[in-house]
Amino acid sequence: MVLAIGITGGIGGGKTEVCRMFASLGAKVLSADAIAKEVIATDSQVRQSLRREFGKRAFLPDESLDRKFVADLAFGNDKLKNKLDSIVHPPTLGKIREEIQAARNSGSHPMVVVEAALMYESGADELFDYIIVVEADPRRSIERVVKR
């Protein structure tokens, strides 16, 4: 049986390092953020919904999402933040579910590990056999974030 493991925790807590450790053990490692970016870039329904909710300025002339513009609107407004989440989370979770099922069907990896900062907030916790919360000393987390 292929295990599905979720990795979550605060910014700078060490989630990526834990995922590297699992990868060294043969795990297939996925990033929920990377999958969400792919969904936004390729899913026409998601793009249409974002355009409808955030306006034409939500996309740059090259048709990529203007992340700063959308973040500035959404992260200061709970209603818009919830709307953004309701547009992006379901198809992202769908892709993660597909990846887990594909790994289970192929048996090519002993486990699938998914890094997701918003594990519980997005409902992703339902997809996993186990969830690991990664924490670091707050000073250490701040150092890591500043270094980035």
Side-chain angles (χ1 to χ4, degrees):
M1 163 140 179
V2 175
L3 289 177
I5 300 172
I7 305 292
T8 192
I11 187 168
K15 296 181 299 292
T16 302
E17 186 58 33
V18 170
C19 287
R20 282 189 194 112
M21 291 177 195
F22 275 107
S24 75
L25 298 172
K28 178 176 187 166
V29 177
L30 305 170
S31 162
D33 285 347
I35 292 170
K37 287 176 185 175
E38 176 190 336
V39 163
I40 291 168
T42 62
D43 187 314
S44 60
Q45 255 186 312
V46 168
R47 295 172 66 75
Q48 184 179 26
S49 295
L50 290 170
R51 191 171 271 115
R52 183 174 48 250
E53 195 62 41
F54 294 94
K56 293 177 185 175
R57 288 200 49 217
F59 291 89
L60 297 168
D62 68 358
E63 286 302 309
S64 64
L65 184 69
D66 186 338
R67 294 186 184 288
K68 181 174 177 0
F69 176 79
V70 172
D72 286 349
L73 289 177
F75 294 107
N77 179 320
D78 285 344
K79 184 178 175 186
L80 283 177
K81 169 76 169 72
N82 291 337
K83 189 64 179 173
L84 175 63
D85 291 347
S86 74
I87 293 168
V88 177
H89 286 173
T92 301
L93 294 177
K95 292 274 188 194
I96 292 170
R97 187 177 291 108
E98 288 172 15
E99 290 282 348
I100 292 169
Q101 192 57 51
R104 285 183 167 152
N105 291 341
S106 73
S108 59
H109 299 280
M111 61 195 110
V112 178
V113 175
V114 180
E115 179 181 348
L118 300 176
M119 182 75 62
Y120 294 100
E121 298 86 344
S122 68
D125 58 302
E126 300 291 324
L127 302 175
F128 303 103
D129 300 307
Y130 298 96
I131 296 174
I132 297 171
V133 178
V134 181
E135 288 187 359
D137 175 78
R139 280 185 245 161
R140 176 91 175 174
S141 294
I142 291 168
E143 288 172 9
R144 288 178 182 152
V145 172
V146 169
K147 189 175 181 180
R148 274 191 237 152

